[in-house]
Amino acid sequence: MFDGSKKITSVVIGHDSVLAVEVIKRGGRLSLGKTAKARLSDPRSSVACTNAFGELKRSCVLKGPVTLSVPDTFARILILEFAELPSKKAEALEVVTWKAAKQLYLRPEECRVDYQILPAEGSIKALVLLMKEKEIREIENALESSGIKAKKISTHSLDLINLLGSRSEPDSDASIILGMEGYITAMFLRSGLLDFYRCKELEGSVSDGISELTPAISYYNGRNPEFTPSRSYIFSDNQAFRDSAKGYLKGTAIKVCTDDYLIMEGAASLCKTDQTAILTALGAAF
């Protein structure tokens, strides 16, 4: 290992597989260590997750604690406004959880919530990540059955935003489209902060899934004609989806590759076939 480097294991749960990636951080650059992939019959099945994590554990890649990235369909992303919030973090979390749960017609005790305060004038804005406690707890239990704990849990799209933020200008506007088997997500960043988020679960192939988000994207562009990002990012391993998504975004379309972030080529075969999952794992490591 490089002097001053740090190893982090990122676990990315996908539609039909789980990827474990050993990420080596040295300064602001990354390299890949060991990687392993296990088949997953159902990401919402605790038995299927337990079997997949067990397979990864036997490969000697899955070592804890890990950062865990789950599909966007496991969570809801909200931007909420508050007149004020308690100064104590625990009390503020209770207020944010109550409001987020109420908006989604859930009981607060059913939710696991994390949030980030956004710059705003005249009020307090919070970017809220809400996941159902039961679903996330089942994944944690499946991990713990292999002797592994998750030190951080996030979603694919938020981890990809982390990845872009590590290299892009922090105050830039950007459009981001993520196309995975099972769902698609559209995100618009204003001054580096998430201003719009829509995720749509898919029943068919992701190849023609972009049409599912067309009304929401058109609505945002119509309400924000001044939004003219210089960059648009499309994350997907599906070429047909990438081609169709280009027509829905403003700005120059940029293809993000693992080579943009890695200081050496690790796990070459995985980088070719699982680009989006590898990029998500890198983002989870930040």
Side-chain angles (χ1 to χ4, degrees):
M1 186 189 300
F2 296 111
D3 291 339
S5 62
K6 180 181 180 182
K7 286 186 178 180
I8 298 172
T9 301
S10 295
V11 176
V12 181
I13 296 178
H15 179 67
D16 57 7
S17 64
V18 180
L19 184 69
V21 179
E22 187 179 70
V23 182
I24 303 171
K25 297 177 66 176
R26 185 171 185 251
R29 300 291 285 172
L30 306 172
S31 63
L32 295 185
K34 297 177 181 178
T35 64
K37 186 177 179 180
R39 187 179 181 280
L40 182 64
S41 58
D42 182 359
R44 296 187 185 276
S45 165
S46 59
V47 174
C49 287
T50 297
N51 292 338
F53 294 147
E55 183 178 339
L56 294 175
K57 177 74 172 180
R58 291 189 292 274
S59 72
C60 299
V61 176
L62 192 59
K63 300 175 182 178
V66 303
T67 62
L68 180 65
S69 186
V70 300
D72 288 4
T73 49
F74 276 67
R76 294 291 297 271
I77 306 294
L78 307 170
I79 299 176
L80 301 179
E81 287 195 35
F82 301 86
E84 59 182 2
L85 282 174
S87 57
K88 293 184 178 179
K89 188 172 182 178
E91 295 177 359
L93 180 59
E94 286 186 10
V95 174
V96 173
T97 300
W98 181 87
K99 185 168 184 176
K102 181 181 179 183
Q103 186 160 324
L104 297 175
Y105 303 100
L106 297 170
R107 294 197 301 268
E109 59 269 22
E110 296 175 329
C111 306
R112 186 178 301 192
V113 170
D114 197 5
Y115 71 95
Q116 176 186 348
I117 298 298
L118 304 175
E121 295 183 4
S123 64
I124 299 174
K125 271 191 176 183
L127 173 64
V128 181
L129 169 66
L130 182 148
M131 296 177 281
K132 290 185 178 180
E133 177 65 34
K134 183 177 183 295
E135 290 185 342
I136 297 303
R137 188 61 209 156
E138 286 183 350
I139 294 176
E140 289 177 327
N141 288 340
L143 265 177
E144 289 169 6
S145 69
S146 294
I148 305 296
K149 288 186 177 292
K151 65 178 180 180
K152 185 185 78 169
I153 302 176
S154 188
T155 65
H156 297 166
S157 59
L158 293 183
D159 287 329
L160 289 171
I161 287 178
N162 279 344
L163 184 70
L164 292 176
S166 70
R167 296 286 299 276
S168 303
E169 297 178 10
D171 296 328
S172 61
D173 293 351
S175 301
I176 304 169
I177 292 284
L178 171 59
M180 304 286 275
E181 289 301 330
Y183 76 88
I184 54 174
T185 298
M187 298 171 285
F188 297 144
L189 274 58
R190 305 288 295 269
S191 301
L193 300 173
L194 188 63
D195 189 57
F196 173 88
Y197 177 96
R198 288 291 185 278
C199 175
K200 180 73 174 179
E201 196 161 3
L202 299 176
E203 294 183 0
S205 171
V206 71
S207 299
D208 49 7
I210 189 64
S211 60
E212 297 287 344
L213 284 176
T214 302
I217 294 174
S218 298
Y219 172 79
Y220 182 86
N221 287 333
R223 293 288 299 271
N224 300 274
E226 77 286 358
F227 179 64
T228 54
S230 57
R231 299 184 179 97
S232 294
Y233 301 92
I234 302 171
F235 293 94
S236 182
D237 294 335
N238 187 291
Q239 183 64 52
F241 176 85
R242 292 199 302 268
D243 291 341
S244 62
K246 290 178 183 178
Y248 291 86
L249 298 177
K250 299 178 180 179
T252 303
I254 297 175
K255 181 181 179 182
V256 185
C257 302
T258 51
D259 290 347
D260 298 332
Y261 294 89
L262 295 174
I263 59 176
M264 61 183 182
E265 184 69 17
S269 61
L270 280 175
C271 284
K272 291 178 180 178
T273 59
D274 295 277
Q275 279 270 325
T276 305
I278 291 284
L279 290 167
T280 303
L282 297 179
F286 277 102

